[in-house]
Amino acid sequence: LKARLCAEGMRDVLAFADEQGIPYERCGELIVATEPAELPRLAAIAQRARANGVDLRELGPEEMREVEPEVRGLRGLHVPATGIIDWARFALGLGDAVRARGGEIRTGAEVTAIRTVADGLALETTAGSVATRDLVTCAGLHSDRLAAMTGHGRGIRIVPFRGDYAVLRPEARRFCRTLIYPVPDPRFPFLGVHLTRRIDGEVWAGPNAVLAFGREAYRRRDVDAGELASIVGDRAFLRLAGRHWRMGATEMVRDLSRRLFLRALRRYTPGLELADLAWGPSGIRAQALRRDGTLVEDFAITGGPDVLHVQNAPSPAATASLAIGRELAARAVERFEL
């Protein structure tokens, strides 16, 4: 689903942005191999990209510096079509489109229960009850809980991982003209820190990936004791931690040290200095795990005859969002009695 819906979704997003006047820029992306062991993985990425119709160039050290003068590496992949967009305005534009088509958006209404009734389903919320014949949920950090309310998706558990970003100071933004990524290591669950230009001109570095002490624990000091106990007592998480405890320990230490954070970035941008970085915002990734502790890496849609649950939609879900919506609509037409 990722491979198909990402490519489709990018075209949809750009068309919607043009229609709504939402700013975007195709700045390109550079994936950089800095060690010989990464070269076969880089070649595999190139092969998969071409198989999915992605236009790219393979670059040597000098050619990479023509794209990113501050980058150093053995070999790279340049994807010119990759871009950046104002996702906040995009989301607001989607809201306007929903309302223009007669839809209603209710905020501040936590779903506390989903009951089967004679003519469909009843959603109990903190803002009152909502009756519906059919239901589609896309609840991110709480997707497993909503799925469980309808008796589905019990093989998937969401574990929250906080990702902290550093922000390059304005005078250091020359270090990133495009989006600069390391070569992902398939042995580990997360990509690693990278440099990302943003539509407002800022450059973010990161994120790292550490266990969040709650599904809404966006700050280092935020702790939900009940949620944390539930996570560390879960067998799926314990299996994941048993396989990747060394990486997890490294991420936790780096989360507290800008110097270690900088060291990861200097693998491919060696000119960066500590004074170039300031701590920035954070986000929480809804990491879906199977019962055996393995990651659910693809988009995951589960459900029954009257309900569909999006239980996993990691990056590039924003890029794929409109295509995911079309996929859900097609499945709903096929499954629901519409």
Side-chain angles (χ1 to χ4, degrees):
L1 282 177
K2 267 190 185 182
R4 176 166 61 85
L5 299 182
C6 181
E8 294 177 13
M10 183 184 73
R11 294 189 292 269
D12 295 338
V13 163
L14 294 181
F16 186 78
D18 288 335
E19 175 187 316
Q20 298 285 323
I22 299 167
Y24 66 87
E25 178 187 348
R26 290 192 170 190
C27 59
E29 170 186 352
L30 187 64
I31 305 172
V32 183
T34 59
E35 300 175 359
E38 295 175 333
L39 295 176
R41 300 203 299 272
L42 191 72
I45 291 172
Q47 183 178 12
R48 288 199 304 273
R50 291 191 177 103
N52 286 287
V54 177
D55 179 39
L56 55 80
R57 295 188 301 148
E58 297 187 53
L59 307 179
E62 295 301 323
E63 294 170 305
M64 280 195 292
R65 285 195 283 274
E66 294 175 6
V67 177
E68 285 284 4
E70 302 291 343
V71 160
R72 300 295 181 268
L74 299 178
R75 197 156 186 81
L77 295 179
H78 182 224
V79 185
T82 298
I84 53 178
I85 191 171
D86 188 334
W87 284 117
R89 284 185 59 178
F90 181 86
L92 293 172
L94 285 180
D96 291 340
V98 167
R99 295 186 184 96
R101 288 160 174 79
E104 181 182 356
I105 297 174
R106 300 185 186 184
T107 59
E110 177 188 354
V111 178
T112 57
I114 301 174
R115 297 184 295 105
T116 300
V117 294
D119 54 351
L121 299 167
L123 280 67
E124 302 302 332
T125 83
T126 52
S129 182
V130 178
T132 182
R133 187 183 64 184
D134 304 298
L135 173 68
V136 178
T137 76
C138 185
L141 286 160
H142 302 279
S143 62
D144 56 342
R145 290 175 171 169
L146 261 69
M149 289 179 188
T150 65
H152 298 98
R154 297 189 182 277
I156 295 178
R157 164 70 188 264
I158 295 297
V159 175
F161 281 87
R162 195 185 74 249
D164 292 295
Y165 288 88
V167 178
L168 297 195
R169 300 189 189 280
E171 59 273 17
R173 291 174 183 171
R174 70 183 190 279
F175 283 96
C176 182
R177 295 178 173 182
T178 63
L179 310 179
I180 307 174
Y181 288 82
V183 179
D185 189 333
R187 295 175 300 170
F188 302 125
F190 301 113
L191 173 62
V193 296
H194 46 278
L195 291 168
T196 305
R197 273 192 60 205
R198 294 177 58 80
I199 201 70
D200 60 4
E202 287 192 340
V203 177
W204 288 11
N208 57 0
V210 298
L211 178 67
F213 296 157
R215 300 197 191 204
E216 311 290 344
Y218 286 91
R219 298 171 298 181
R220 291 178 178 87
R221 64 177 181 271
D222 290 343
V223 179
D224 183 326
E227 184 75 53
L228 181 58
S230 174
I231 293 170
V232 299
D234 184 79
R235 291 184 178 181
F237 172 74
L238 293 175
R239 291 183 177 118
L240 176 72
R243 283 194 291 268
H244 300 295
W245 68 270
R246 290 182 186 275
M247 181 187 184
T250 299
E251 290 284 331
M252 292 187 73
V253 172
R254 189 163 62 195
D255 183 51
L256 301 173
S257 170
R258 273 195 306 154
R259 290 187 182 277
L260 293 178
F261 200 96
L262 174 67
R263 183 184 299 175
L265 293 169
R266 292 186 67 172
R267 288 182 54 207
Y268 43 82
T269 50
L272 274 173
E273 301 290 343
L274 192 63
D276 295 326
L277 299 180
W279 283 126
S282 66
I284 295 184
R285 175 184 176 126
Q287 181 59 63
L289 299 183
R290 300 182 184 89
R291 288 176 177 173
D292 62 0
T294 58
L295 305 182
V296 181
E297 296 186 2
D298 202 1
F299 301 151
I301 301 172
T302 63
D306 56 0
V307 62
L308 287 171
H309 297 289
V310 179
Q311 286 205 258
N312 193 49
S315 181
T319 300
S321 55
L322 295 181
I324 293 173
R326 188 166 53 247
E327 177 78 13
L328 287 167
R331 294 193 187 194
V333 169
E334 178 182 335
R335 183 174 300 192
F336 302 162
E337 294 181 4
L338 300 178

